[in-house]
Amino acid sequence: ILAMVSVPFGLTAEASFIPEVGGEDFKFSNMGLGLKWSLTSGLIELPFSLAVKGHFMKSDLTFKQTSGVTATVDFKDTVMGLMVLASKNLIFIEPYAGIGVVSGDGEFDVTGTSIFASGSQSYSDKTTGTQLLAGVEANLLILKAGAEISNQFGVNRYSVKVGISF
């Protein structure tokens, strides 16, 4: 579920949500929040759009493994960041790019038993890095389509999106 609402003064709030799905052996949930302020919506005049965006996302994953070793795996991940975005509206298409800072905090817990041992192990890591992205959106009446490449924590991500705007 994804919702975005724009209000006067260039503010846009967005929320994404995947309720807990799965069953006894597998569970997943995700929640993301973002707030973007477009500085060129009445504050400053530039030949392109300029915005600042903050974002937060939390994911939880739990699953049970029962082949050979009986174990429960819990993974929790929190990512947040702040970035500057620039775009240029060229009537039907709008290219954009952004740069920012992103931090992540992950926890990985495994609890299990086998014929050799039982117990639990935990791993966690916190990291901060640069976030880069570039993409293009096509605006075709109420249909919007886009493609994006991004890099955060040294990992490239490619995405394609299609939406309806009203």
Side-chain angles (χ1 to χ4, degrees):
I1 300 169
L2 172 67
M4 296 175 68
V5 176
S6 295
V7 296
F9 307 110
L11 291 173
T12 300
E14 62 183 59
S16 62
F17 180 67
I18 299 174
E20 188 173 280
V21 295
E24 187 177 314
D25 293 338
F26 173 86
K27 293 179 185 174
F28 175 77
S29 65
N30 179 276
M31 189 248 329
L33 302 170
L35 183 63
K36 181 172 77 170
W37 180 31
S38 179
L39 302 170
T40 50
S41 290
L43 186 63
I44 58 175
E45 270 309 307
L46 294 172
F48 58 91
S49 295
L50 185 65
V52 177
K53 181 179 180 179
H55 58 89
F56 170 86
M57 186 171 1
K58 181 169 178 39
S59 301
D60 293 311
L61 170 67
T62 300
F63 64 91
K64 293 182 180 177
Q65 179 179 334
T66 57
S67 60
V69 175
T70 302
T72 300
V73 177
D74 290 310
F75 176 70
K76 297 181 185 328
D77 183 46
T78 303
V79 176
M80 63 180 94
L82 183 65
M83 69 182 335
V84 176
L85 297 156
S87 67
K88 178 69 175 169
N89 190 343
L90 303 172
I91 302 175
F92 294 113
I93 64 167
E94 185 170 355
Y96 61 90
I99 185 169
V101 63
V102 64
S103 66
D105 184 1
E107 297 176 20
F108 186 80
D109 298 315
V110 179
T111 304
T113 54
S114 71
I115 60 171
F116 302 108
S118 66
S120 64
Q121 292 185 335
S122 296
Y123 307 92
S124 65
D125 193 20
K126 293 181 182 183
T127 188
T128 300
T130 303
Q131 181 178 22
L132 302 169
L133 63 86
V136 64
E137 283 189 357
N139 301 308
L140 309 167
L141 298 175
I142 65 169
L143 180 67
K144 290 190 174 194
E148 179 179 287
I149 181 172
S150 64
N151 181 290
Q152 63 185 25
F153 305 120
V155 176
N156 289 331
R157 182 178 119 188
Y158 308 90
S159 60
V160 177
K161 52 190 172 182
V162 177
I164 297 174
S165 175
F166 52 93

